[in-house]
mmCIF file of all heavy atoms in Angstrom:
data_model
loop_
_atom_site.group_PDB
_atom_site.id
_atom_site.type_symbol
_atom_site.label_atom_id
_atom_site.label_comp_id
_atom_site.label_asym_id
_atom_site.label_seq_id
_atom_site.Cartn_x
_atom_site.Cartn_y
_atom_site.Cartn_z
ATOM 1 N N HIS W 93 25.447 27.855 -52.322
ATOM 2 C CA HIS W 93 25.379 28.750 -51.157
ATOM 3 C C HIS W 93 25.045 30.141 -51.663
ATOM 4 O O HIS W 93 25.862 30.748 -52.346
ATOM 5 C CB HIS W 93 26.696 28.741 -50.413
ATOM 6 C CG HIS W 93 27.009 27.439 -49.732
ATOM 7 N ND1 HIS W 93 27.595 26.368 -50.402
ATOM 8 C CD2 HIS W 93 26.802 27.027 -48.483
ATOM 9 C CE1 HIS W 93 27.756 25.360 -49.541
ATOM 10 N NE2 HIS W 93 27.269 25.719 -48.384
ATOM 11 N N VAL W 94 23.888 30.653 -51.334
ATOM 12 C CA VAL W 94 23.403 31.923 -51.871
ATOM 13 C C VAL W 94 24.417 33.051 -51.562
ATOM 14 O O VAL W 94 24.747 33.843 -52.449
ATOM 15 C CB VAL W 94 22.031 32.299 -51.294
ATOM 16 C CG1 VAL W 94 21.584 33.695 -51.742
ATOM 17 C CG2 VAL W 94 20.991 31.262 -51.666
ATOM 18 N N ASP W 95 24.948 33.105 -50.361
ATOM 19 C CA ASP W 95 25.859 34.181 -49.967
ATOM 20 C C ASP W 95 27.339 33.887 -50.322
ATOM 21 O O ASP W 95 28.201 34.701 -50.064
ATOM 22 C CB ASP W 95 25.746 34.507 -48.451
ATOM 23 C CG ASP W 95 26.228 33.390 -47.548
ATOM 24 O OD1 ASP W 95 26.697 32.330 -48.046
ATOM 25 O OD2 ASP W 95 26.188 33.576 -46.318
ATOM 26 N N GLY W 96 27.577 32.744 -50.924
ATOM 27 C CA GLY W 96 28.952 32.406 -51.350
ATOM 28 C C GLY W 96 29.814 31.864 -50.234
ATOM 29 O O GLY W 96 30.968 31.480 -50.469
ATOM 30 N N ASN W 97 29.330 31.811 -48.993
ATOM 31 C CA ASN W 97 30.107 31.295 -47.880
ATOM 32 C C ASN W 97 29.824 29.812 -47.747
ATOM 33 O O ASN W 97 28.734 29.373 -47.317
ATOM 34 C CB ASN W 97 29.710 32.033 -46.589
ATOM 35 C CG ASN W 97 30.401 31.538 -45.356
ATOM 36 O OD1 ASN W 97 31.184 30.581 -45.400
ATOM 37 N ND2 ASN W 97 30.165 32.175 -44.224
ATOM 38 N N SER W 98 30.823 29.004 -48.083
ATOM 39 C CA SER W 98 30.605 27.550 -48.102
ATOM 40 C C SER W 98 30.466 26.913 -46.731
ATOM 41 O O SER W 98 30.098 25.759 -46.599
ATOM 42 C CB SER W 98 31.788 26.890 -48.837
ATOM 43 O OG SER W 98 33.007 27.149 -48.154
ATOM 44 N N LEU W 99 30.716 27.678 -45.684
ATOM 45 C CA LEU W 99 30.532 27.190 -44.327
ATOM 46 C C LEU W 99 29.181 27.622 -43.762
ATOM 47 O O LEU W 99 28.817 27.180 -42.654
ATOM 48 C CB LEU W 99 31.669 27.641 -43.422
ATOM 49 C CG LEU W 99 33.062 27.140 -43.858
ATOM 50 C CD1 LEU W 99 34.124 27.719 -42.958
ATOM 51 C CD2 LEU W 99 33.108 25.588 -43.847
ATOM 52 N N ASN W 100 28.441 28.447 -44.455
ATOM 53 C CA ASN W 100 27.127 28.871 -43.998
ATOM 54 C C ASN W 100 26.085 27.905 -44.554
ATOM 55 O O ASN W 100 25.604 28.064 -45.691
ATOM 56 C CB ASN W 100 26.816 30.330 -44.425
ATOM 57 C CG ASN W 100 25.415 30.793 -44.025
ATOM 58 O OD1 ASN W 100 24.700 30.070 -43.384
ATOM 59 N ND2 ASN W 100 25.109 31.994 -44.358
ATOM 60 N N ASN W 101 25.737 26.873 -43.775
ATOM 61 C CA ASN W 101 24.862 25.812 -44.266
ATOM 62 C C ASN W 101 23.420 25.973 -43.729
ATOM 63 O O ASN W 101 22.712 24.996 -43.630
ATOM 64 C CB ASN W 101 25.436 24.459 -43.884
ATOM 65 C CG ASN W 101 26.681 24.160 -44.686
ATOM 66 O OD1 ASN W 101 26.812 24.569 -45.812
ATOM 67 N ND2 ASN W 101 27.622 23.497 -44.074
ATOM 68 N N LEU W 102 23.035 27.198 -43.372
ATOM 69 C CA LEU W 102 21.638 27.400 -43.031
ATOM 70 C C LEU W 102 20.738 27.031 -44.205
ATOM 71 O O LEU W 102 21.066 27.399 -45.346
ATOM 72 C CB LEU W 102 21.391 28.883 -42.636
ATOM 73 C CG LEU W 102 22.041 29.334 -41.326
ATOM 74 C CD1 LEU W 102 22.016 30.841 -41.218
ATOM 75 C CD2 LEU W 102 21.283 28.660 -40.157
ATOM 76 N N PRO W 103 19.640 26.331 -43.974
ATOM 77 C CA PRO W 103 18.787 25.916 -45.093
ATOM 78 C C PRO W 103 18.343 27.041 -46.010
ATOM 79 O O PRO W 103 18.297 26.874 -47.221
ATOM 80 C CB PRO W 103 17.590 25.249 -44.392
ATOM 81 C CG PRO W 103 18.146 24.758 -43.107
ATOM 82 C CD PRO W 103 19.171 25.779 -42.709
ATOM 83 N N GLU W 104 18.088 28.244 -45.455
ATOM 84 C CA GLU W 104 17.646 29.341 -46.273
ATOM 85 C C GLU W 104 18.807 29.904 -47.122
ATOM 86 O O GLU W 104 18.543 30.704 -48.027
ATOM 87 C CB GLU W 104 16.999 30.447 -45.430
ATOM 88 C CG GLU W 104 17.883 31.023 -44.335
ATOM 89 C CD GLU W 104 17.763 30.315 -43.005
ATOM 90 O OE1 GLU W 104 17.238 29.157 -42.949
ATOM 91 O OE2 GLU W 104 18.204 30.872 -41.994
ATOM 92 N N ASN W 105 20.017 29.512 -46.852
ATOM 93 C CA ASN W 105 21.169 29.939 -47.647
ATOM 94 C C ASN W 105 21.527 28.948 -48.732
ATOM 95 O O ASN W 105 22.480 29.126 -49.507
ATOM 96 C CB ASN W 105 22.403 30.184 -46.756
ATOM 97 C CG ASN W 105 23.535 30.788 -47.491
ATOM 98 O OD1 ASN W 105 23.408 31.782 -48.215
ATOM 99 N ND2 ASN W 105 24.720 30.220 -47.361
ATOM 100 N N LEU W 106 20.797 27.863 -48.827
ATOM 101 C CA LEU W 106 21.055 26.785 -49.805
ATOM 102 C C LEU W 106 19.942 26.762 -50.849
ATOM 103 O O LEU W 106 18.768 26.935 -50.527
ATOM 104 C CB LEU W 106 21.165 25.435 -49.084
ATOM 105 C CG LEU W 106 22.206 25.364 -47.986
ATOM 106 C CD1 LEU W 106 22.112 24.023 -47.259
ATOM 107 C CD2 LEU W 106 23.616 25.553 -48.538
ATOM 108 N N ARG W 107 20.320 26.502 -52.096
ATOM 109 C CA ARG W 107 19.353 26.373 -53.159
ATOM 110 C C ARG W 107 19.872 25.426 -54.217
ATOM 111 O O ARG W 107 21.073 25.279 -54.446
ATOM 112 C CB ARG W 107 19.031 27.744 -53.801
ATOM 113 C CG ARG W 107 20.263 28.360 -54.448
ATOM 114 C CD ARG W 107 19.936 29.755 -55.000
ATOM 115 N NE ARG W 107 21.185 30.417 -55.379
ATOM 116 C CZ ARG W 107 21.274 31.695 -55.668
ATOM 117 N NH1 ARG W 107 20.234 32.440 -55.614
ATOM 118 N NH2 ARG W 107 22.443 32.212 -56.020
ATOM 119 N N ILE W 108 18.945 24.792 -54.917
ATOM 120 C CA ILE W 108 19.277 23.887 -55.998
ATOM 121 C C ILE W 108 19.587 24.752 -57.217
ATOM 122 O O ILE W 108 18.913 25.744 -57.493
ATOM 123 C CB ILE W 108 18.137 22.940 -56.344
ATOM 124 C CG1 ILE W 108 17.927 21.951 -55.219
ATOM 125 C CG2 ILE W 108 18.334 22.218 -57.655
ATOM 126 C CD1 ILE W 108 16.761 21.001 -55.407
ATOM 127 N N CYS W 109 20.604 24.367 -57.983
ATOM 128 C CA CYS W 109 20.946 25.059 -59.228
ATOM 129 C C CYS W 109 21.629 24.127 -60.169
ATOM 130 O O CYS W 109 21.983 22.993 -59.830
ATOM 131 C CB CYS W 109 21.781 26.306 -58.919
ATOM 132 S SG CYS W 109 23.415 25.926 -58.293
ATOM 133 N N SER W 110 21.880 24.596 -61.356
ATOM 134 C CA SER W 110 22.657 23.849 -62.362
ATOM 135 C C SER W 110 24.143 24.202 -62.158
ATOM 136 O O SER W 110 24.471 25.140 -61.440
ATOM 137 C CB SER W 110 22.228 24.183 -63.758
ATOM 138 O OG SER W 110 22.545 25.542 -64.046
ATOM 139 N N VAL W 111 25.008 23.479 -62.843
ATOM 140 C CA VAL W 111 26.428 23.754 -62.752
ATOM 141 C C VAL W 111 26.708 25.152 -63.276
ATOM 142 O O VAL W 111 27.478 25.914 -62.671
ATOM 143 C CB VAL W 111 27.236 22.690 -63.528
ATOM 144 C CG1 VAL W 111 28.717 23.070 -63.607
ATOM 145 C CG2 VAL W 111 27.083 21.308 -62.885
ATOM 146 N N SER W 112 26.075 25.513 -64.399
ATOM 147 C CA SER W 112 26.337 26.854 -64.994
ATOM 148 C C SER W 112 25.846 27.961 -64.063
ATOM 149 O O SER W 112 26.511 28.999 -63.937
ATOM 150 C CB SER W 112 25.772 26.993 -66.399
ATOM 151 O OG SER W 112 24.381 26.928 -66.346
ATOM 152 N N GLU W 113 24.695 27.793 -63.439
ATOM 153 C CA GLU W 113 24.201 28.795 -62.513
ATOM 154 C C GLU W 113 25.149 28.923 -61.311
ATOM 155 O O GLU W 113 25.391 30.049 -60.824
ATOM 156 C CB GLU W 113 22.795 28.404 -62.000
ATOM 157 C CG GLU W 113 21.744 28.581 -63.067
ATOM 158 C CD GLU W 113 20.404 27.987 -62.672
ATOM 159 O OE1 GLU W 113 20.376 27.023 -61.897
ATOM 160 O OE2 GLU W 113 19.388 28.478 -63.161
ATOM 161 N N ASN W 114 25.687 27.840 -60.862
ATOM 162 C CA ASN W 114 26.626 27.862 -59.725
ATOM 163 C C ASN W 114 27.911 28.596 -60.124
ATOM 164 O O ASN W 114 28.459 29.330 -59.319
ATOM 165 C CB ASN W 114 26.958 26.438 -59.272
ATOM 166 C CG ASN W 114 27.615 26.405 -57.936
ATOM 167 O OD1 ASN W 114 27.276 27.166 -57.023
ATOM 168 N ND2 ASN W 114 28.594 25.551 -57.788
ATOM 169 N N MET W 115 28.348 28.459 -61.360
ATOM 170 C CA MET W 115 29.558 29.138 -61.827
ATOM 171 C C MET W 115 29.322 30.640 -61.938
ATOM 172 O O MET W 115 30.245 31.430 -61.763
ATOM 173 C CB MET W 115 30.015 28.574 -63.178
ATOM 174 C CG MET W 115 30.510 27.162 -63.099
ATOM 175 S SD MET W 115 31.823 26.888 -61.917
ATOM 176 C CE MET W 115 33.103 27.893 -62.623
ATOM 177 N N GLN W 116 28.087 31.047 -62.218
ATOM 178 C CA GLN W 116 27.796 32.490 -62.290
ATOM 179 C C GLN W 116 27.913 33.133 -60.948
ATOM 180 O O GLN W 116 28.179 34.327 -60.831
ATOM 181 C CB GLN W 116 26.341 32.653 -62.840
ATOM 182 C CG GLN W 116 26.182 32.187 -64.277
ATOM 183 C CD GLN W 116 24.704 31.980 -64.643
ATOM 184 O OE1 GLN W 116 23.799 32.295 -63.864
ATOM 185 N NE2 GLN W 116 24.495 31.427 -65.801
ATOM 186 N N ASN W 117 27.706 32.356 -59.900
ATOM 187 C CA ASN W 117 27.684 32.883 -58.530
ATOM 188 C C ASN W 117 29.023 32.647 -57.836
ATOM 189 O O ASN W 117 29.135 32.861 -56.633
ATOM 190 C CB ASN W 117 26.564 32.177 -57.766
ATOM 191 C CG ASN W 117 26.298 32.828 -56.439
ATOM 192 O OD1 ASN W 117 26.504 34.008 -56.257
ATOM 193 N ND2 ASN W 117 25.849 32.027 -55.493
ATOM 194 N N CYS W 118 30.036 32.172 -58.549
ATOM 195 C CA CYS W 118 31.321 31.852 -57.869
ATOM 196 C C CYS W 118 32.130 33.120 -57.601
ATOM 197 O O CYS W 118 31.899 34.185 -58.209
ATOM 198 C CB CYS W 118 32.135 30.844 -58.660
ATOM 199 S SG CYS W 118 32.752 31.434 -60.224
ATOM 200 N N LYS W 119 33.122 32.975 -56.778
ATOM 201 C CA LYS W 119 34.007 34.107 -56.410
ATOM 202 C C LYS W 119 34.881 34.492 -57.577
ATOM 203 O O LYS W 119 35.131 33.718 -58.485
ATOM 204 C CB LYS W 119 34.891 33.725 -55.224
ATOM 205 C CG LYS W 119 34.144 33.465 -53.970
ATOM 206 C CD LYS W 119 35.071 33.030 -52.860
ATOM 207 C CE LYS W 119 34.263 32.715 -51.607
ATOM 208 N NZ LYS W 119 35.081 32.081 -50.601
#
Side-chain angles (χ1 to χ4, degrees):
H93 291 84
V94 176
D95 68 0
N97 178 356
S98 61
L99 298 176
N100 179 0
N101 292 326
L102 289 167
E104 57 270 16
N105 187 49
L106 303 174
R107 62 184 169 192
I108 291 178
C109 66
S110 67
V111 173
S112 65
E113 288 169 332
N114 195 40
M115 293 305 296
Q116 294 162 7
N117 190 30
C118 69
K119 294 177 183 171

